[in-house]
Amino acid sequence: MFEPKDLQNILGSVQEQIKEMEQKARDKVITSKSGGGLIDVQFNGAGELIDINIDDELLQDKQALQILLISAINEGYKQIEESKKNDLFDQMKNLNPFKF
């Protein structure tokens, strides 16, 4: 017979596994470049922009800097979404609600 306490244990286990997945995402670093590496942006797996590197030669050309920066950031967001989908798919395969 299924006990309510068992359900509580299962839900607690699933919540813990979700927290672990979220922490792994925060620890992941995704890098995107544009302009042949003149712009380099880094995001964590949670989608937060954590670093921007701009080659000095771009500092004289504001329009090129803006275009390449937008391009690198947009590409980074695409990579983040793809990474999240892949991570979620992998974790769903490993998610075990009966692990307690």
Side-chain angles (χ1 to χ4, degrees):
M1 186 160 107
F2 192 74
E3 297 288 328
K5 185 177 181 181
D6 292 338
L7 180 60
Q8 184 179 17
N9 289 337
I10 290 170
L11 292 176
S13 175
V14 170
Q15 286 177 332
E16 191 62 37
Q17 290 176 41
I18 290 171
K19 285 180 186 178
E20 289 175 21
M21 289 174 15
E22 289 172 346
Q23 184 59 45
K24 285 180 184 178
R26 279 189 211 94
D27 294 341
K28 185 181 238 182
V29 175
I30 297 166
T31 301
S32 176
K33 298 180 181 187
S34 70
L38 295 174
I39 300 271
D40 179 347
V41 295
Q42 293 183 346
F43 297 86
N44 66 19
E48 300 167 330
L49 182 62
I50 56 174
D51 195 17
I52 297 176
N53 292 303
I54 301 171
D55 191 283
D56 289 341
E57 71 183 66
L58 277 177
L59 297 177
Q60 303 303 317
D61 187 350
K62 181 179 176 181
Q63 186 175 11
L65 173 60
Q66 290 171 326
I67 291 168
L68 293 175
L69 189 55
I70 290 169
S71 175
I73 290 171
N74 286 336
E75 180 60 31
Y77 282 131
K78 288 178 188 175
Q79 290 179 25
I80 290 166
E81 289 305 311
E82 188 65 30
S83 176
K84 284 181 181 181
K85 287 177 190 175
N86 290 338
D87 290 347
L88 183 60
F89 181 72
D90 289 342
Q91 291 300 323
M92 291 302 288
K93 290 189 298 189
N94 298 325
L95 193 60
N96 182 358
F98 299 102
K99 179 180 132 183
F100 53 89

